[in-house]
Amino acid sequence: MNVTNLKQINLSIDLQQSISSDIANYFSIIPKEITDNENVFFIDESKVLEQETIKEELKLIFNKNIVFELIDTSIIKKALSIYYRKHDDKPKLVSYGNDFLEDLIFEAKNINASDIHIEIYEEDVRVRLRIDGQLIEKNHIKKDNYLELINQIKIKSNLDITEKRLPQDGRIEYDDFDIRVSILPTHHGEKVVMRILGRDASHLNINKLGFENDDVALYLEAVKKTNGIVLISGPTGSGKTTTLYATLKHLNSIKRNIVTVEDPVEYTLKGINQVQLKENIGLTFTSALRSFLRQDPDIIMLGEIRDGQTAQMAIRASLTGHLVLSTIHTNSAIGTISRLIDMGVPSFLIAETINISVAQRLVRMLCDTCKSEQNFNDNDLPRTFKSEKVLKTHFVAVGCDACYHTGYKGRSAIYEILPITYEVADAIKKQTLEQSNFIKNKRLSDKAFDLLSRGLTSLEEIYPILINS
């Protein structure tokens, strides 16, 4: 294979861990294939005169035959920055060139960053990436290059390069993913946030989201009904939309007509009719839902219930024989019921139409390479949280090359389930739900504490969830 761009280098975890960061950076190599008898590496083409010497040194290290494939210096540097960041690879001033934006976008995509932030200040421009829900500082560029970079982003996303006073929203499309662009005027200039939207939904599986066995059984029972409402609650960035997409994928069949209205459309699902919200021309959740009811749907997915009008339309749709899936911003499964009542939905209608209320959070998992075990002190827990489990030790985040010095690698979802049984429906009608304990299985705080006790996450990460217990 003739490697001509960074996208052609996609290391598996095993391949990445076959050599250390120090060796990769010292020799400017990236592993291509590792076998029992031979190691094949991509190597910086500028090392062509040194390759025989390097080959002999690597033979001594690995005790195997070494094969090199020369590739462009710029590609090797980008790959090293993604897969083998140096320990001293702190944010620094980087040079700006014509390929800076493309390189930044594809690097962010390859390391599974969800957002790119470009922020201008008095002296320079800062670039940050959101990885596993947390922002990390990537680098800085000179303020002299800022205007060219902003214009480049605007041109790619079909925005007005002369408009600098008002916010603008646009989109950049690639073969297998899209970028949603938001530009906001600030004191020193325009701040840009680029959200990376992956189109491929093949990896979504409802059994691999983080549901415990009992929880997934309750959830699937609720979504198998032909009518009613399924609500997923949680703060922004808690994975609600991913849960909905996995549910739609599970329900999708040739026998069902499924329609969605979303803001934005994050994944493309074959066989499902997806509508992008456009509030500036009057295409809102409410107006779209009104049109959906004339489209003979079996299942309707609303990206979010934001107000009483949308809530009332969702109730109406479920009463007329449709299954409605949506999200709502509340802190708990029971809190969703209170929120709907606050929106003006009569409690008897809520009791009649809601199938299940689910609350979820995303919890960062500790990096297995660098996490450190320490003694546990019960006094470190929030005063409001009580657990029957007694911990003697726990793990804390440290930070290394493998996790971009954050101490965490990957996230897992935890769920709180409230199925609307006859007992729960009666409590909703009487508005006595808050005084009763109807949550099936465990609450979010209990599940977060379970992850801590198993050494999968840190107390620092789950502390906000424990406070709300």
Side-chain angles (χ1 to χ4, degrees), residues 412-430:
S412 179
I414 54 174
Y415 294 88
E416 181 178 275
I417 305 290
L418 177 66
I420 309 302
T421 61
Y422 290 115
E423 186 185 15
V424 174
D426 187 56
I428 292 173
K429 290 175 185 177
K430 296 176 181 176

Side-chain angles (χ1 to χ4, degrees), residues 360-388:
Q360 74 173 85
R361 298 290 187 278
L362 283 177
V363 178
R364 289 187 296 166
M365 298 289 99
L366 286 166
C367 174
D368 288 330
T369 305
C370 63
K371 67 182 182 181
S372 174
E373 191 171 14
Q374 295 184 1
N375 292 329
F376 186 76
N377 187 341
D378 285 338
N379 293 328
D380 292 334
L381 291 170
R383 286 174 294 174
T384 56
F385 178 76
K386 305 297 179 185
S387 175
E388 295 178 359

